[in-house]
Amino acid sequence: MSANDFIVGEAEIDDEENEDSVDEETGEVKERANGVTGGVDDSSDEDESDEDEEAERAVREGFIVDEDEEPAERERRKRGDKKRRREERERVEEVLDEEDLDLIGEAHPDLQPRAPSEPQFKRLKRGHREDGERNGPRGLDEIFSDDDDEQDAPNQVDEDRLGRFRPEPRGGLDEFADFIEEDEPIDEDERNRLQEERETARPRGQGFEIAGAQVSGLDKDTLEMMQEAFGDGTDYEWALAIEDELEEQELTAQTLELKDVFEPTQLSERLMTDEDNQIRWADEPERFQIARAPLKHIVLTDEQIREEALWISRMMPKRSRMPEDLIDPFQKSVAKALEFFVAEDVEVPFIFQHRKDYLIHAVKEAVTPDPHNPERPKFTVNAEKLLNQDDLWNVFEYDLKFRALVDKRSALQRTYDNLHSVASVQDEVFEEMLPAAETMEELQDIQDYIYFQHASHLKDLSVLNGDANGTHRRPGSQKSLFERIRNGPIYNMVRAFGLTADEFAQNALKEGRRRYAEDPSVRPDDMADSDTILDPPEFATGAQVQRAAKMMFAEEIALSPKMRKVMRRQYYMTGVIECFRTEKGLKRIDEQHPYYEFKYLRNQQLSDIARRPDMYLRMLKAEEEGLIEVKIRLHGYEDFKRRLLQDIASDNYSEIAEAWNAERKEVLDMALTKLNSFMNKSVKENLKSRCEDEIVALCRSEFSKKLDQAPFKPQGMLIGTVPRVLALSCGAGQPGRDAVCWAWVEESGRVLENGKWTDLRFDEKAKDDFVELVQRRKPDVIGVSGFTVETRKLIVDVEKLVDERDLRCAEYEDEETGDYISGKLDVVAVNDEVARLYQTSTRATLEHPGFAPLTRYCVALAKYLQNPMKEYAALGKDIVSIAFHPAQQLVASEKVLKSLETALVDMVNLCGVDINEAVSDPYTANLLPYVCGLGPRKATSVLKAIHTNGGVVTTRDELVGDPEQGKLQVVGPRVWNNCASFLCIEYDSSEPTSDFLDNTRIHPEDYEIARKMAADALELDEEDIRAETDEGGPAAVVKRLVKEEAADKVNDLVLEEYADNLLLTFNQRKRATLETIRAELQQPYEELRRNLALLSTDEIFTMLTGETRDSLCTGMIVPVSIKRVLNMEHQLDVQLDSGVKGIIMENEISDRIEDVSLGQLFSVHQTLQAKILHLSRSAMEATLTIREEVLRKPYRRELDHMRDEWDEQQEERDKEMLQVKDKESGRAQRVIKHPLFRNFNSAQAEEYLGSQARGDVVIRPSSKGLDHIAVTWKVSDNVYQHIDVLELDKENEFSVGRILKIGRRYTYSDLDELVVNHVKAMAKKVDEMTGHEKFQRGTKAETERWLTTYTEANPKRSVYAFCINPKYPGYFHLCFKAGQHAKLGSWPVKVVPLAFELQNNPYPDMRALCNGFKLLFQNMQGGGRR
């Protein structure tokens, strides 16, 4: 192993001794100037040559790594090398044969010499035909033929010996001699020497054409005799044929597959693994396949399906809020939905759209006849919706949970059956509890019970199974303590307690007849001392026996499934949550900290927590960070314990009974200690799961609202019409100073124009250009957005310009007057959450490579106004980057993504997808994975199949294949049944095969009903219908309805009669479906989404400032930076970190200011602590105060707690303790006049920098005293470095020292120099490291897994990578692996100003660091070998 193992092409080391280079295309070592290849000597010894070549190849392939070389290329090169070596061996044999022929020719001068062979390159010119003929199977007639020798014999000096010089072949000039230009000219002496060597060498491949008889000197008769005696060789043709067949099979087996070329992780990311292909081609909805994959082996019986329906209806929270008369219909509706999922394999959108009648409970109520109104209906229908789309998704999730429940229950049953058959185990508790278990927690209780109660039998069973399976398992060396107690005499004392654990639990459950404890006739200590109970040597005394018996009984109670059921029920009924701060949390969680609202929380009921799921998840996050402890205890625990004691104690009154009851009390205490610990963890985890589900549901609900927005409605147009948009933004700049980027996007989504304007406030030319663009393009709306508060100025400027120049939208027809009018052009603030992700994405670069990021941002704003749903769908997995709930980050992103995708599935199927548009437009194709029945894998295969069929779909039936027209199957029947009605095809009346119903939400299974309704609306009889269909096909009646514009006539149909007829004839409930058909016949795929919701004031404020009502409000003390000091107006103009402008009037500064001007007290860029008096969210301005008496009263959030829910006494004690600690540490409040100074502690600094960019800095007071300051800077996300700065040469204790020292190596004269030359210099090095191709963004473990995967895919390669070290900010891990079987290694890399340090050696940049690492590793390896 050497340093060359790690050379990967980017940091090469100059080596004068090694002048060989590597060919970039083939990876082979080029020759040196002296013609020697790679230093391998030319030798006639075949074995030595092969060994040298193998050694050379090992160096090329294993140590010098070319990352551009793919596995397929390496395999091809290996096959080529193998073939070349075989040909060289054959060439040597051919040369030897020709030499023999030459000798024969010299012995027979009358024989004619063979014509000289042609140059080797002649075959290349002729092509592959002759090669194919030459390489074909050789029969007996050819086995000794010289034809191959004539073609294959080379006629030039051995290239291995002559290097790259090609002398002219004998017999003429080589036609390729001048094709390859020499790298270096050859002098005349060298050329003459080579020419002389070539001419004096034996002519290779030159011989005589002699017949077999002539060569042997035998006559014809003699040859015939020899053939009769020895045969003509045809007996061995079968061996040659087999050899050729094996070679062909070997070549076939070497066919490359994707897994031979790409790494498994790459295939998985691209959904190209074998499992992905199975999902892609299976005729089952993709989402079903993925969700059911772990449980596909579970097949439910009819009885289990009925049980599942009842189980799901009980588990759904909706049932508890439902009236009693709807519970039975609700259970039937759940059972029907389950049937659709399991039996018909249809997804939620299909059920909601085409089986909605089964989700509704309709009751007909008779109406009293009205003699004055004979046409009054005889009854009314009252309909109650039982299940909505959210409920259907929940039913599907519960189906998966029930299957997992059945799987675990079956596994436990199999275990018990094995115990019964092998050891004759009969356990009534198990047999009673297993069928009644309804949750995974209860099944786990049963599993813990049986593994404890029958541990020895299970161990024996495991050994038997191991022997049966051919595997040897060593049994435990000794039995556990509880097994020895259970099998020994001590267990008699356990029985003497008078009740079993199960009987005690049954008493506690209040189920069945009460069991009473019977007291023995002797005291417990006397029984323990008896010889029949003692079990020496381990239990040799009575005290040991008593302790063992109580421990055993307590363990049985703690593991009793019934007792756990008692405890779990009690915890959920009376459990309360309490938080206790840790020593770490004492200082970290101050009153401004988001965790402060539960720092001293007490007696919080579980029902209250359920209403605040975000708070509970933050509790657990704080506990994970070590700031608090979350505990759950039982309210009224002593009363509960007293009731349990009554259930286990004896009712007898005697000294012996009291002694045994005392023992039982100790057992109960021991058992409750175990149960409380277990339940604390169990309930916390269960509650966490429920809170996560609640947060995910809230995220889904919020996302559904965002998706439920139609395109911005142009004035005078129908909802759903796509607008033409002009989008503008100044980004993070200021209008009037920075350029304004714009993009004009037409209704088709194409960006036709874009550009920049310098200023729309004062620049008249820019204003004229803006007006000219608007008047020329006639946009329907102008969208504006940006990154800062300054964007509001741009909105005001554009609105003002529209008013001044009277800019109007395109003309439209007034419905009342019929005149063409145009309204004022709309200017709207656009939600930019998608645009911010899009502007720097790879997709944006590919779609608009020449645009600036801010212009791409404008394009995304325009497209959001045109169709928000498409913009969200195009994000794919990046959708989780958008915050839909403040606690979203506390839930696993995979769980959030899964829920958000269901919202997309609902909305995409509500709107439908034009399949032909998706084929031609990648932007629309992003919607296909969310179509019912499809997914990302099936969506790609659908597009590919449609392209194969010609690129156009004319009918929905075409998707399942049409052999008569040569159309391949696009999807299978089941998938087609799911997706057919959600893939629309635009109706073309001029196309005979076009069907109007293919452009509607009507499913093909209901086409006949729709055609019947159309015929009845047109009042056609059977003969008319037959005539229409005979002439125009099945779709003719609907075509006529559309052509005559008579669709409104379907409103006259009485749908109740249709519904009753369908129910009686086909047993199908279609009343709601008939309403859908009637609506679709009148307006196919009508826009059902709400109008685009314009942003509210609060939403605009949050978008531009990043602040919410919780994070910024009146009364808060915030840092502000002075922007202007106005002496005349006696005020300070300041700005908050969020960009909000602020004003501090003179009377809010201080009462002690008399003749001193503000300019003498304050300076621009100075940072102050100020309190917000008033905040205007619409104007984004604040009024503040810096009066000392006001600042002394810190802001405190209003905490909604009852009196007994907050530990005020502990809060006061902690405040006093902190004051004492501050005095002891000498920490004082300091104010430093520097824009980066904040009066923060370390936790506040990290929280403040959390939303800032990498490299941002906070200067803050130090806890080490007044001669220190601390500098905190952001290294990466959630990684912050705290630098201790020693101040020297201070004027006074509150001033900043003139000399600032960091450690012993760095000294600076002021804070600005320290920030620029130390912190910013290190930040640049971090940027250089993270931008390097060798940097991995995951953790160290993830990086090591990547290294392992890489070396497994490339066994002969070595690789290294860098990753951040979050434990030690400012350090990186250099992880490496020198080959597949080498151990993983890791060296620390330290970032210092202007350099990296590795092994105490500084390196100025990444190239030097990589080279230095290789040299260090080489030296280390060399030292190890020595």
Side-chain angles (χ1 to χ4, degrees):
M1 191 181 306
S2 67
N4 291 333
D5 288 295
F6 299 99
I7 298 178
V8 290
E10 88 291 350
E12 299 175 358
I13 306 172
D14 295 330
D15 189 353
E16 296 180 357
E17 296 180 359
N18 185 7
E19 297 178 358
D20 295 345
S21 61
V22 181
D23 191 301
E24 295 181 356
E25 295 181 357
T26 65
E28 296 183 358
V29 179
K30 293 183 180 179
E31 302 154 343
R32 296 184 183 176
N34 60 3
V36 180
T37 305
V40 179
D41 295 335
D42 181 40
S43 174
S44 61
D45 191 339
E46 179 182 336
D47 296 335
E48 293 179 0
S49 175
D50 290 345
E51 291 175 359
D52 292 339
E53 289 177 0
E54 289 294 334
E56 177 188 0
R57 190 168 298 105
V59 172
R60 289 200 307 263
E61 298 174 0
F63 297 147
I64 301 180
V65 181
D66 183 4
E67 290 185 347
D68 294 333
E69 184 182 21
E70 297 292 342
E73 178 65 20
R74 292 200 312 275
E75 187 65 27
R76 185 193 62 77
R77 180 164 51 78
K78 289 179 182 178
R79 291 200 303 270
D81 292 343
K82 182 177 179 181
K83 180 180 179 183
R84 179 174 55 79
R85 292 198 304 272
R86 184 172 65 249
E87 291 176 351
E88 288 175 357
R89 289 196 296 269
E90 292 174 354
R91 189 180 302 122
V92 172
E93 295 173 358
E94 291 169 0
V95 170
L96 292 176
D97 292 341
E98 290 167 0
E99 289 177 353
D100 294 338
L101 291 177
D102 290 341
L103 293 175
I104 295 174
E106 292 174 2
H108 299 273
D110 56 324
L111 297 178
Q112 296 296 325
R114 184 173 54 184
S117 60
E118 296 179 353
Q120 184 179 1
F121 290 113
K122 288 284 188 179
R123 291 200 308 274
L124 297 176
K125 190 173 182 180
R126 288 172 185 154
H128 297 287
R129 180 181 58 83
E130 295 181 3
D131 292 344
E133 295 172 356
R134 176 171 48 82
N135 293 329
R138 300 180 62 185
L140 177 67
D141 297 335
E142 298 176 332
I143 196 168
F144 297 113
S145 173
D146 292 334
D147 295 341
D148 290 346
D149 297 337
E150 294 176 3
Q151 293 180 0
D152 292 345
N155 193 17
Q156 58 189 23
V157 179
D158 189 359
E159 291 184 1
D160 287 340
R161 182 164 55 87
L162 297 181
R164 61 173 177 263
F165 305 124
R166 298 183 182 275
E168 297 178 1
R170 187 171 185 176
L173 295 175
D174 187 354
E175 62 185 355
F176 280 81
D178 297 329
F179 183 73
I180 301 177
E181 184 176 351
E182 303 295 346
D183 292 338
E184 298 178 2
I186 307 175
D187 56 15
E188 190 65 26
D189 294 339
E190 181 71 11
R191 186 182 299 277
N192 293 335
R193 186 185 66 78
L194 292 172
Q195 181 69 14
E196 181 180 356
E197 182 178 356
R198 179 184 60 78
E199 292 178 352
T200 57
R202 178 184 297 275
R204 300 176 62 183
Q206 182 175 348
F208 299 89
E209 294 182 354
I210 308 172
Q214 294 173 326
V215 173
S216 62
L218 302 175
D219 57 15
K220 183 177 181 181
D221 295 336
T222 304
L223 285 175
E224 290 179 354
M225 292 175 62
M226 290 180 62
Q227 290 178 359
E228 291 177 359
F230 301 103
D232 58 0
T234 56
D235 296 335
Y236 301 100
E237 275 192 319
W238 61 271
L240 297 175
I242 291 176
E243 182 181 358
D244 293 336
E245 183 178 352
L246 291 176
E247 289 181 357
E248 292 180 2
Q249 292 178 356
E250 182 180 357
L251 291 175
T252 304
Q254 294 175 350
T255 303
L256 287 178
E257 298 181 3
L258 285 175
K259 60 185 178 183
D260 300 324
V261 179
F262 297 101
E263 294 184 16
T265 53
Q266 293 175 314
L267 292 177
S268 179
E269 290 173 358
R270 292 170 172 80
L271 304 179
M272 295 298 292
T273 64
D274 294 339
E275 293 78 9
D276 293 320
N277 289 330
Q278 290 176 2
I279 295 173
R280 186 175 284 111
W281 301 117
D283 186 21
E284 182 182 354
E286 182 171 327
R287 277 173 284 274
F288 279 11
Q289 294 186 62
I290 295 172
R292 294 172 176 172
L295 303 168
K296 62 171 61 176
H297 60 284
I298 302 297
V299 178
L300 301 180
T301 63
D302 294 340
E303 182 180 352
Q304 288 175 330
I305 291 176
R306 289 190 293 271
E307 177 192 356
E308 180 182 10
L310 294 175
W311 181 83
I312 292 177
S313 62
R314 285 196 303 269
M315 288 295 169
M316 293 186 69
K318 192 171 187 178
R319 183 180 184 274
S320 61
R321 304 187 299 268
M322 193 163 288
E324 191 68 27
D325 60 326
L326 292 180
I327 290 180
D328 185 60
F330 175 75
Q331 292 177 349
K332 292 180 179 179
S333 182
V334 169
K336 203 65 183 178
L338 199 59
E339 178 185 338
F340 296 142
F341 284 134
V342 177
E344 298 185 18
D345 271 340
V346 290
E347 285 201 88
V348 170
F350 180 94
I351 298 174
F352 187 75
Q353 183 68 30
H354 306 300
R355 300 290 185 267
K356 62 180 66 176
D357 293 87
Y358 296 93
L359 312 179
I360 300 172
H361 177 60
V363 178
K364 290 184 178 181
E365 294 183 358
V367 177
T368 304
D370 185 358
H372 303 288
N373 185 12
E375 297 182 358
R376 182 180 179 181
K378 298 179 180 180
F379 57 85
T380 60
V381 178
N382 293 327
E384 289 283 347
K385 184 179 289 187
L386 301 174
L387 297 174
N388 55 29
Q389 281 180 296
D390 292 350
D391 297 327
L392 290 174
W393 286 110
N394 289 334
V395 170
F396 179 69
E397 288 298 320
Y398 278 120
D399 173 49
L400 300 177
K401 292 180 180 180
F402 183 81
R403 289 170 181 268
L405 194 75
V406 170
D407 189 26
K408 188 174 183 68
R409 189 167 63 188
S410 300
L412 288 174
Q413 186 64 51
R414 287 194 301 270
T415 301
Y416 180 72
D417 292 341
N418 291 334
L419 285 173
H420 181 70
S421 61
V422 174
S424 300
V425 171
Q426 193 78 23
D427 194 312
E428 296 179 358
V429 175
F430 180 89
E431 294 176 356
E432 177 187 354
M433 296 298 294
L434 185 66
E438 291 190 341
T439 63
M440 294 298 288
E441 290 89 349
E442 293 178 354
L443 287 178
Q444 186 62 44
D445 293 343
I446 297 173
Q447 178 176 317
D448 294 343
Y449 164 79
I450 195 172
Y451 273 79
F452 168 76
Q453 200 70 23
H454 308 286
S456 58
H457 297 309
L458 286 169
K459 189 177 296 183
D460 296 340
L461 187 63
S462 176
V463 173
L464 289 175
N465 290 337
D467 293 340
N469 295 331
T471 59
H472 176 69
R473 293 190 179 186
R474 185 182 58 163
S477 58
Q478 57 182 357
K479 294 183 178 180
S480 68
L481 173 64
F482 296 114
E483 288 181 75
R484 294 199 299 274
I485 295 174
R486 184 182 292 113
N487 297 327
I490 299 178
Y491 200 71
N492 293 325
M493 188 166 182
V494 176
R495 295 191 184 97
F497 281 102
L499 285 176
T500 65
D502 182 65
E503 290 172 342
F504 166 52
Q506 190 168 331
N507 289 342
L509 279 172
K510 303 296 185 284
E511 293 180 354
R513 183 175 58 85
R514 175 182 168 84
R515 304 296 180 92
Y516 294 93
E518 296 294 335
D519 297 319
S521 58
V522 295
R523 291 173 55 87
D525 49 355
D526 294 337
M527 179 180 287
D529 288 330
S530 65
D531 294 336
T532 57
I533 300 297
L534 291 176
D535 189 11
E538 190 170 358
F539 306 105
T541 66
Q544 292 176 338
V545 169
Q546 280 185 276
R547 185 166 55 252
K550 288 186 288 188
M551 184 171 58
M552 181 70 188
F553 194 27
E555 192 73 17
E556 288 182 341
I557 293 174
L559 289 168
S560 167
K562 291 182 180 179
M563 194 61 207
R564 287 189 175 184
K565 185 176 182 180
V566 171
M567 294 296 295
R568 189 173 286 111
R569 184 172 62 186
Q570 191 68 22
Y571 262 85
Y572 285 120
M573 289 175 58
T574 65
V576 293
I577 292 181
E578 297 181 334
C579 296
F580 299 90
R581 56 89 184 152
T582 62
E583 285 297 321
K584 183 179 178 181
L586 173 64
K587 295 183 64 176
R588 291 282 297 272
I589 305 177
D590 59 12
E591 292 187 355
Q592 309 303 319
H593 200 282
Y595 294 162
Y596 193 79
E597 66 174 320
F598 49 77
K599 184 177 182 180
Y600 303 103
L601 189 67
R602 303 287 189 270
N603 300 322
Q604 192 76 16
Q605 295 183 2
L606 298 186
S607 57
D608 297 331
I609 290 295
R611 290 191 289 269
R612 291 286 308 277
D614 56 330
M615 185 177 72
Y616 180 72
L617 294 179
R618 282 187 284 114
M619 286 182 191
L620 298 183
K621 180 66 175 176
E623 185 178 42
E624 182 183 337
E625 295 173 4
L627 301 179
I628 65 169
E629 287 184 51
V630 180
K631 297 181 179 180
I632 302 179
R633 67 172 180 85
L634 291 177
H635 184 69
Y637 175 70
E638 293 301 326
D639 293 337
F640 173 68
K641 181 178 175 182
R642 194 160 37 249
R643 292 196 301 270
L644 289 180
L645 184 59
Q646 294 173 358
D647 293 326
I648 196 175
S650 168
D651 294 338
N652 298 326
Y653 293 96
S654 66
E655 183 181 353
I656 294 176
E658 290 181 0
W660 278 102
N661 282 339
E663 294 291 300
R664 294 184 184 106
K665 184 177 183 301
E666 290 186 31
V667 169
L668 181 60
D669 290 338
M670 295 170 63
L672 287 178
T673 301
K674 296 175 180 292
L675 285 168
N676 284 328
S677 176
F678 173 79
M679 285 299 157
N680 212 293
K681 296 178 181 178
S682 177
V683 173
K684 280 173 64 176
E685 285 300 318
N686 195 14
L687 196 58
K688 177 185 177 182
S689 178
R690 293 185 183 183
C691 289
E692 287 180 345
D693 292 341
E694 185 65 25
I695 294 297
V696 165
L698 293 174
C699 291
R700 184 185 188 279
S701 176
E702 184 64 25
F703 187 38
S704 297
K705 293 178 183 177
K706 293 178 181 290
L707 292 173
D708 190 15
Q709 297 182 101
F712 180 88
K713 180 179 174 299
Q715 297 181 30
M717 300 293 180
L718 294 175
I719 183 173
T721 304
V722 179
R724 296 168 296 185
V725 184
L726 174 63
L728 299 86
S729 178
C730 58
Q734 295 184 3
R737 189 184 68 182
D738 299 303
V740 176
C741 290
W742 59 272
W744 191 84
V745 183
E746 65 172 1
E747 52 264 48
S748 64
R750 292 190 304 161
V751 184
L752 298 186
E753 284 190 72
N754 69 90
K756 291 182 180 180
W757 291 308
T758 56
D759 179 22
L760 291 180
R761 177 173 294 182
F762 304 110
D763 190 343
E764 294 299 327
K765 183 179 183 305
K767 291 182 181 181
D768 294 339
D769 292 342
F770 171 81
V771 173
E772 186 274 333
L773 176 67
V774 171
Q775 293 177 343
R776 174 165 52 87
R777 289 296 189 181
K778 295 291 183 184
D780 297 311
V781 62
I782 297 177
V784 185
S785 197
F787 310 145
T788 66
V789 173
E790 300 297 332
T791 301
R792 184 181 175 279
K793 295 181 181 179
L794 180 60
I795 297 175
V796 173
D797 292 343
V798 174
E799 289 176 341
K800 183 178 179 181
L801 195 55
V802 169
D803 289 337
E804 291 177 350
R805 303 296 181 93
D806 193 25
L807 300 179
R808 297 184 170 272
C809 62
E811 292 185 343
Y812 60 92
E813 184 179 359
D814 188 354
E815 295 181 356
E816 296 181 357
T817 63
D819 299 333
Y820 282 90
I821 59 175
S822 61
K824 177 185 172 183
L825 188 59
D826 292 312
V827 179
V828 299
V830 188
N831 187 341
D832 71 339
E833 58 189 9
V834 177
R836 293 194 186 203
L837 297 174
Y838 175 81
Q839 62 174 338
T840 56
S841 66
T842 304
R843 181 167 60 94
T845 305
L846 294 175
E847 292 175 356
H848 307 289
F851 289 9
L854 190 56
T855 305
R856 298 174 190 152
Y857 173 82
C858 294
V859 172
L861 294 177
K863 289 191 174 183
Y864 186 89
L865 289 174
Q866 291 181 336
N867 198 327
M869 182 182 69
K870 283 188 176 181
E871 281 297 289
Y872 286 116
L875 289 178
K877 293 183 178 180
D878 291 337
I879 191 65
V880 294
S881 300
I882 297 176
F884 300 101
H885 191 277
Q888 178 178 329
Q889 300 302 322
L890 301 176
V891 185
S893 59
E894 294 80 8
K895 196 171 185 178
V896 176
L897 178 62
K898 183 179 178 181
S899 178
L900 297 180
E901 285 180 343
T902 62
L904 264 171
V905 169
D906 289 343
M907 194 53 59
V908 168
N909 289 281
L910 177 69
C911 300
V913 178
D914 188 328
I915 185 62
N916 288 314
E917 183 181 348
V919 171
S920 59
D921 180 21
Y923 190 54
T924 305
N926 291 326
L927 302 176
L928 276 183
Y930 306 104
V931 170
C932 183
L934 303 183
R937 299 162 186 81
K938 288 187 179 293
T940 55
S941 66
V942 163
L943 294 176
K944 185 176 181 180
I946 293 175
H947 280 294
T948 304
N949 287 339
V952 178
V953 180
T954 56
T955 65
R956 285 171 172 170
D957 292 340
E958 204 178 279
L959 295 173
V960 289
D962 189 349
E964 295 181 358
Q965 297 185 8
K967 301 289 186 180
L968 300 177
Q969 186 184 72
V970 177
V971 292
R974 287 194 176 187
V975 175
W976 178 85
N977 186 50
N978 273 273
C979 69
S981 62
F982 307 109
L983 298 177
C984 57
I985 302 169
E986 187 175 358
Y987 173 65
D988 185 0
S989 58
S990 62
E991 182 65 35
T993 59
S994 183
D995 191 339
F996 178 82
L997 298 179
D998 285 341
N999 193 34
T1000 67
R1001 292 184 174 91
I1002 304 172
H1003 194 275
E1005 69 179 8
D1006 295 325
Y1007 277 9
E1008 290 303 321
I1009 299 176
R1011 290 162 183 163
K1012 171 64 175 169
M1013 291 173 61
D1016 291 346
L1018 292 173
E1019 299 180 355
L1020 301 179
D1021 54 21
E1022 293 294 335
E1023 294 182 359
D1024 296 334
I1025 296 174
R1026 190 179 301 107
E1028 290 285 346
T1029 54
D1030 290 343
E1031 181 180 354
V1037 176
V1038 178
K1039 285 184 178 181
R1040 178 175 172 181
L1041 183 75
V1042 175
K1043 184 177 181 180
E1044 296 180 2
E1045 298 182 355
D1048 293 342
K1049 293 183 178 180
V1050 295
N1051 291 325
D1052 300 331
L1053 300 177
V1054 182
L1055 299 185
E1056 283 75 11
E1057 297 179 0
Y1058 283 87
D1060 293 340
N1061 188 27
L1062 289 171
L1063 184 62
L1064 292 174
T1065 307
F1066 303 103
N1067 195 26
Q1068 295 180 352
R1069 297 166 61 179
K1070 291 281 187 179
R1071 179 63 183 83
T1073 303
L1074 292 174
E1075 288 288 351
T1076 301
I1077 294 174
R1078 176 158 61 183
E1080 291 297 313
L1081 287 174
Q1082 297 178 77
Q1083 189 170 350
Y1085 262 106
E1086 179 185 5
E1087 181 60 73
L1088 300 179
R1089 290 174 290 179
R1090 297 178 295 115
N1091 281 326
L1092 184 73
L1094 300 181
L1095 295 178
S1096 64
T1097 300
D1098 280 357
E1099 290 172 333
I1100 296 175
F1101 183 82
T1102 300
M1103 180 179 71
L1104 300 181
T1105 65
E1107 303 284 0
T1108 64
R1109 287 191 175 272
D1110 292 332
S1111 63
L1112 188 67
C1113 62
T1114 302
M1116 282 187 171
I1117 299 176
V1118 295
V1120 297
S1121 176
I1122 298 177
K1123 295 302 179 183
R1124 288 193 303 172
V1125 179
L1126 303 176
N1127 291 310
M1128 300 296 295
E1129 290 82 357
H1130 301 289
Q1131 73 178 40
L1132 300 175
D1133 285 355
V1134 298
Q1135 181 175 308
L1136 280 67
D1137 291 334
S1138 59
V1140 174
K1141 304 299 182 182
I1143 299 175
I1144 303 176
M1145 304 302 295
E1146 183 180 19
N1147 60 341
E1148 296 297 342
I1149 295 175
S1150 177
D1151 291 334
R1152 294 179 290 180
I1153 299 179
E1154 296 178 356
D1155 298 331
V1156 182
S1157 66
L1158 295 180
Q1160 294 175 295
L1161 296 174
F1162 304 101
S1163 60
V1164 176
H1165 302 308
Q1166 181 181 347
T1167 301
L1168 303 173
Q1169 294 292 319
K1171 191 168 190 175
I1172 301 175
L1173 298 178
H1174 175 71
L1175 177 63
S1176 173
R1177 297 181 181 272
S1178 58
M1180 299 185 187
E1181 294 178 350
T1183 304
L1184 304 103
T1185 180
I1186 57 174
R1187 297 173 66 92
E1188 293 182 5
E1189 63 272 16
V1190 178
L1191 294 178
R1192 289 195 189 102
K1193 300 177 182 178
Y1195 169 77
R1196 182 170 181 175
R1197 291 186 179 90
E1198 291 294 332
L1199 302 177
D1200 186 16
H1201 298 308
M1202 303 294 289
R1203 177 175 297 179
D1204 62 340
E1205 294 179 352
W1206 192 260
D1207 195 340
E1208 296 178 354
Q1209 295 179 354
Q1210 184 65 45
E1211 184 180 23
E1212 290 299 323
R1213 287 195 297 268
D1214 287 349
K1215 286 182 180 179
E1216 295 173 1
M1217 188 186 305
L1218 286 175
Q1219 290 176 359
V1220 173
K1221 287 187 175 182
D1222 286 342
K1223 290 179 181 179
E1224 291 176 353
S1225 64
R1227 179 168 182 164
Q1229 298 292 327
R1230 295 184 61 181
V1231 177
I1232 298 175
K1233 292 184 178 181
H1234 193 277
L1236 298 178
F1237 177 79
R1238 300 287 187 274
N1239 200 1
F1240 290 162
N1241 57 27
S1242 60
Q1244 292 171 324
E1246 291 182 4
E1247 182 182 356
Y1248 170 78
L1249 291 172
S1251 59
Q1252 307 297 318
R1254 182 167 57 205
D1256 282 1
V1257 186
V1258 165
I1259 302 172
R1260 58 184 180 82
S1262 174
S1263 60
K1264 293 185 176 182
L1266 296 176
D1267 58 346
H1268 288 259
I1269 56 175
V1271 176
T1272 302
W1273 70 285
K1274 184 175 182 179
V1275 181
S1276 183
D1277 291 339
N1278 299 319
V1279 181
Y1280 309 92
Q1281 187 178 36
H1282 303 282
I1283 302 173
D1284 177 45
V1285 181
L1286 175 63
E1287 301 176 76
L1288 301 176
D1289 193 15
K1290 294 167 64 75
E1291 289 185 2
N1292 55 65
E1293 64 178 0
F1294 293 105
S1295 64
V1296 179
R1298 296 186 180 94
I1299 299 176
L1300 305 176
K1301 296 201 67 173
I1302 300 177
R1304 298 180 180 180
R1305 299 171 57 183
Y1306 306 102
T1307 302
Y1308 303 99
S1309 59
D1310 57 37
L1311 289 173
D1312 288 331
E1313 182 186 5
L1314 183 147
V1315 170
V1316 173
N1317 294 337
H1318 193 90
V1319 179
K1320 295 297 183 183
M1322 287 195 296
K1324 288 182 180 179
K1325 290 289 126 184
V1326 172
D1327 290 338
E1328 182 180 352
M1329 171 70 78
T1330 55
H1332 195 264
E1333 60 182 1
K1334 288 295 183 183
F1335 179 75
Q1336 295 288 324
R1337 300 196 177 276
T1339 62
K1340 181 183 179 183
E1342 292 172 345
T1343 302
E1344 290 178 343
R1345 283 197 296 271
W1346 180 85
L1347 295 177
T1348 303
T1349 303
Y1350 185 92
T1351 52
E1352 287 175 353
N1354 307 274
K1356 294 185 178 181
R1357 294 191 179 188
S1358 303
V1359 67
Y1360 64 96
F1362 300 90
C1363 65
I1364 199 165
N1365 185 346
K1367 187 175 181 180
Y1368 297 99
Y1371 282 82
F1372 289 82
H1373 294 293
L1374 197 170
C1375 304
F1376 54 88
K1377 197 171 190 295
Q1380 180 182 10
H1381 303 293
K1383 292 183 178 180
L1384 287 163
S1386 174
W1387 288 353
V1389 177
K1390 182 181 180 181
V1391 177
V1392 297
L1394 303 177
F1396 302 99
E1397 281 189 1
L1398 178 65
Q1399 305 287 335
N1400 296 323
N1401 298 313
Y1403 300 98
D1405 53 33
M1406 286 300 297
R1407 182 185 179 91
L1409 175 63
C1410 294
N1411 283 336
F1413 160 65
K1414 296 165 190 173
L1415 291 174
L1416 289 172
F1417 187 84
Q1418 184 180 27
N1419 294 336
M1420 183 191 73
Q1421 294 296 98
R1425 285 193 295 269
R1426 288 193 294 272

